[in-house]
């Protein structure tokens, strides 16, 4: 089948999976040229095999809440592709989680991991369990229940989970503890672990810092200095807060942060002290961003996303499809000249089209947010060596990897008119490595 036949076929077979189909369509739309140059891909039905996950685990998790009530959730692990290395990807706990969302994330992860220069295949897992308002003991019991089923399908050289929305160091710790108990091994089959038991320095910072390093590479191509630039960030979780931290250290102004209830708008830019408040609010008290506005008396945009606030640069770092076509129009009308995605697929296809049409610097998540999984790969390397590297060493490697990903985007994404289409660049570079590996390994 050729690429468009694959898309129609997937639409027919998986009609209730819009996010998955959206991600597939975006990638296949941009690899057509290279695909047509390789007739052997069609002969081996490579695209269809690459789009459909190798396997999907889907199961019920039962756990007991603090009031003694027995609760159930749906849980999943998608092992998408392991042509270039063990399955690798995060775990998401959020009420919105379903098969379509995890399939899109595992598909994206395969191309992202291919770009990192490291040997990692693509996977994603999660549950529609919502950590919001749950006690620490409830979180622990849920994590243990999830792993009591999943543990037999993962392993240090098989499938290595990590964090994502709703899953941070606390949840990884509980899941890894249960995994170790069940599997009777201590080989580091999770990344994002605590520093005391095999975690890598800089893993918490990696996605946000990596996104800023990618942005700096993009700005350099146009000779733009980050200093003093107004950056709108969405989200206030792991990716958003470390993006903000790196930006502040470089003299940029972080003018917004948000959560699913609203946005704080600070036109003069938040201070380091205010950012520390957000870290504590989110990680210790697990509070809402509205409380920041109450503390500092800034503007709070209830129920709104940040994109109406005039900015130079947008760094969406919350969730998928959080910038639609109208938001893109507003950003562009306000003079935004760069968008670098911390979240996975935060821009709808309409928004992506508008950014590229407007010839702004636009980095898709699979390139810009690859720093997180890259440092996960470095955590796996350290665990294999039974060594821990210094923060400086990990940060140096992270900078090098982000530079390399940026170079690949330039190589495959440069257009005749000189504009770099980072979507095309990232998709082709990511695809070609996986495609070559799959061709070499035969029909599986
Ligand atoms: P966190 O759980 O730490 O933070 C998520 C943030 O996004 C919260 O502020 C949350 O607000 C907000 N958010 C989540 N879902 C929604 C929604 N449906 N609508 C509006 N806001 C929402 O997650 P991360 O920071 O780890 O992840 C953020 C994004 O980055 C995700 O797209 C993830 O896939 C991606 N990513 C994460 C990596 C990592 O290493 N952690 C690596 C690469 C990408 P609220 O509290 O109200 O839910
Ligand atoms: O989307 C992502 O890249 C992540 N959530 C991180 C995955 C990982 O294995 O570190």
């Amino acid at each position: 089948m050729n690429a468009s036949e694959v898309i129609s076929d997937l639409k027919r077979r998986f009609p209730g999976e819009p996010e998955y189909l959206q991600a597939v369509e975006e990638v296949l739309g941009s690899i057509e040229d290279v695909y047509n140059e390789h007739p052997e891909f069609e002969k081996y039905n490579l695209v269809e095999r690459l789009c459909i996950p190798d396997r999907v685990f889907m199961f019920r998790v039962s756990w007991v809440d603090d009031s003694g009530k027995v609760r159930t959730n749906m849980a999943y692990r998608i092992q998408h592709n392991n042509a270039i290395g063990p399955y690798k990807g995060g775990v998401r706990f959020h009420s919105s989680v379903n098969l379509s969302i995890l399939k899109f994330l595992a598909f994206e992860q395969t191309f992202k991991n291919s770009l990192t220069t490291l040997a990692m295949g693509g996977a994603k897992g999660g549950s529609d369990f919502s950590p919001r308002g749950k006690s620490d003991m409830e979180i622990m019991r849920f994590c243990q229940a999830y792993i009591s089923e999943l543990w037999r399908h993962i392993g240090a050289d098989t499938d290595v989970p990590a964090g994502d929305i709703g899953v941070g160091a606390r949840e990884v710790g509980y899941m890894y503890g249960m995994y170790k108990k069940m599997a009777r091994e201590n080989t580091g089959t999770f990344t994002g672990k605590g520093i005391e038991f095999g975690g890598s320095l800089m893993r918490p910072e990696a996605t946000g810092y990596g996104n800023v390093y990618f942005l700096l590479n993009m700005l350099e191509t146009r000779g733009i200095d980050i200093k003093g630039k107004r950056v709108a960030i969405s989200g206030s979780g792991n990716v958003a807060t470390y993006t903000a931290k790196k930006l502040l250290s470089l003299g940029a102004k972080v003018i917004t942060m948000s959560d699913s209830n609203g946005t704080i708008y600070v036109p003069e830019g938040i201070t380091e002290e205010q950012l520390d408040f957000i870290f504590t609010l989110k990680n210790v008290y697990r509070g809402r961003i509205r409380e920041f506005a109450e503390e500092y008396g800034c503007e709070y945009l209830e129920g709104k996303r940040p994109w109406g606030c005039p900015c130079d640069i947008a760094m969406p770092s919350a969730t998928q499809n959080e910038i639609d076509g109208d938001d893109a129009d507003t950003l562009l009308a306000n003079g935004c000249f760069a968008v670098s995605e911390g979240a996975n697929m935060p821009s709808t296809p309409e928004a992506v089209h508008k950014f590229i049409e407007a010839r702004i610097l636009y980095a898709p998540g699979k390139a810009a947010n690859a720093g997180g999984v890259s440092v996960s790969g470095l955590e796996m390397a350290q665990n294999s060596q039974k060594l821990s590297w210094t923060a400086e060493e990990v940060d140096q490697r992270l900078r090098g990897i982000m530079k390399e990903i940026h170079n690949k985007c330039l190589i495959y994404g440069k257009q005749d008119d000189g504009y770099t289409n980072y979507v095309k660049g990232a998709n082709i570079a990511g695809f070609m490595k996986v495609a070559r590996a799959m061709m070499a390994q035969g029909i599986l």
Side-chain angles (χ1 to χ4, degrees):
M1 280 197 269
N2 66 32
S4 45
E5 286 165 346
V6 170
I7 293 176
S8 334
D9 196 51
L10 293 179
K11 283 184 175 165
R12 183 184 56 76
R13 291 158 86 183
F14 307 109
E17 300 181 5
E19 293 85 1
Y20 168 63
L21 295 170
Q22 180 185 335
V24 169
E25 211 159 356
E26 189 239 272
V27 169
L28 296 193
S30 57
I31 60 161
E32 217 157 343
D33 296 349
V34 290
Y35 182 76
N36 291 334
E37 286 165 14
H38 293 270
E40 70 277 17
F41 289 170
E42 191 158 341
K43 183 170 167 216
Y44 280 76
N45 199 11
L46 185 106
V47 170
E48 190 184 14
R49 288 193 292 126
L50 179 46
C51 289
I52 299 179
D54 288 354
R55 66 187 68 77
V56 173
F57 300 105
M58 188 163 153
F59 48 96
R60 169 181 47 76
V61 169
S62 302
W63 56 283
V64 183
D65 73 16
D66 286 347
S67 71
K69 192 171 156 207
V70 179
R71 312 271 290 251
T72 67
N73 285 98
M74 283 311 298
Y76 312 79
R77 182 74 181 167
I78 318 291
Q79 295 183 339
H80 189 86
N81 186 291
N82 68 349
I84 62 176
Y87 299 109
K88 178 81 194 90
V91 171
R92 177 177 292 192
F93 292 163
H94 192 269
S95 55
S96 63
V97 163
N98 59 34
L99 187 58
S100 171
I101 289 177
L102 295 181
K103 275 176 71 179
F104 117 65
L105 288 163
F107 175 84
E108 286 286 291
Q109 196 80 46
T110 301
F111 297 89
K112 183 195 303 189
N113 292 3
S114 164
L115 287 170
T116 63
T117 73
L118 306 170
M120 297 182 289
K124 200 84 186 191
S127 171
D128 57 9
F129 170 80
S130 171
R132 174 102 52 97
K134 303 288 189 302
S135 73
D136 199 60
M137 286 295 164
E138 288 176 324
I139 299 279
M140 182 183 76
R141 287 197 293 274
F142 178 79
C143 290
Q144 293 180 340
Y146 177 58
I147 293 302
S148 70
E149 179 71 28
L150 189 64
W151 75 272
R152 63 187 91 244
H153 306 300
I154 59 178
D157 293 315
T158 318
D159 182 356
V160 182
D164 193 79
I165 291 177
V167 176
R170 173 179 62 164
E171 292 74 17
V172 167
Y174 291 148
M175 287 193 278
Y176 182 59
M178 190 65 177
Y179 172 79
K180 239 164 27 73
K181 186 178 169 75
M182 305 297 284
R184 300 197 192 178
E185 58 165 54
N186 207 333
T187 51
T189 302
F190 266 86
T191 59
K193 300 183 293 296
I195 298 305
E196 305 79 9
F197 50 98
S200 176
L201 289 167
M202 298 296 294
R203 177 62 188 88
E205 292 86 346
T207 311
Y209 282 22
N211 191 11
V212 176
Y213 298 154
F214 196 92
L215 173 72
L216 293 176
N217 283 307
M218 287 205 295
L219 294 178
E220 200 184 319
T221 65
R222 295 193 179 177
I224 300 170
D225 188 353
I226 185 86
K227 220 174 184 152
K229 297 294 175 296
R230 296 163 306 163
V231 186
I233 296 179
S234 63
S236 46
N238 170 269
V239 179
T241 45
Y242 283 107
T243 300
K245 187 167 179 188
K246 181 55 79 177
L247 286 170
L248 291 196
S249 76
L250 295 168
K253 285 186 194 166
V254 173
I255 60 161
T256 66
M257 300 202 57
S258 68
D259 60 25
S260 49
N261 295 112
T263 295
I264 51 157
Y265 178 39
V266 185
E268 65 281 10
I270 63 171
T271 63
E272 284 187 23
E273 180 215 310
Q274 289 173 331
L275 183 58
D276 285 343
F277 177 89
I278 296 177
F279 270 105
T280 312
L281 177 68
K282 288 286 161 177
N283 298 319
V284 181
Y285 300 109
R286 305 200 180 260
R288 311 302 299 157
I289 202 71
R290 175 183 33 79
E291 296 168 54
F292 176 96
E294 287 159 8
E295 175 78 15
Y296 293 103
C298 76
E299 200 173 335
Y300 176 64
L301 309 165
E302 173 87 39
K304 292 231 163 67
R305 297 183 288 207
W307 318 126
C309 304
C311 66
D312 303 305
I313 298 167
M315 301 184 83
S317 307
T319 193
Q320 64 277 354
N321 292 329
E322 54 168 318
I323 301 184
D324 62 20
D326 292 342
D327 296 323
D329 284 336
T330 309
L331 284 165
L332 293 169
N334 282 332
C336 172
F337 57 76
V339 177
S340 202
E341 297 183 340
N344 286 304
M345 205 169 76
S347 308
T348 63
E350 295 72 36
V352 174
H353 181 73
K354 286 174 193 237
F355 293 147
I356 292 175
E357 282 278 291
R359 297 286 189 271
I360 66 163
L361 296 167
Y362 167 66
K366 66 170 75 67
N369 72 37
V373 75
S374 298
V375 172
S376 279
L378 301 180
E379 183 169 326
M380 289 162 70
Q382 293 169 75
N383 292 165
S384 298
Q385 290 181 315
K386 312 278 186 227
L387 291 174
S388 330
W389 304 339
T390 62
E392 291 68 32
E393 173 156 14
V394 178
D395 192 39
Q396 257 335 96
R397 286 179 187 262
L398 172 62
R399 284 173 196 265
I401 289 169
M402 298 316 293
K403 174 119 203 135
E404 186 54 34
I405 297 174
H406 185 263
N407 283 342
K408 283 188 196 143
C409 291
L410 293 186
I411 292 168
Y412 291 99
K414 197 104 181 158
Q415 297 184 169
D416 293 341
D417 61 1
Y419 176 68
T420 300
N421 182 333
Y422 286 88
V423 175
K424 196 168 175 190
N427 285 339
I428 294 178
F431 168 77
M432 283 308 289
K433 183 173 171 185
V434 181
R436 287 200 191 97
M438 286 176 70
M439 290 298 290
Q441 292 169 33
I443 296 169
L444 299 170

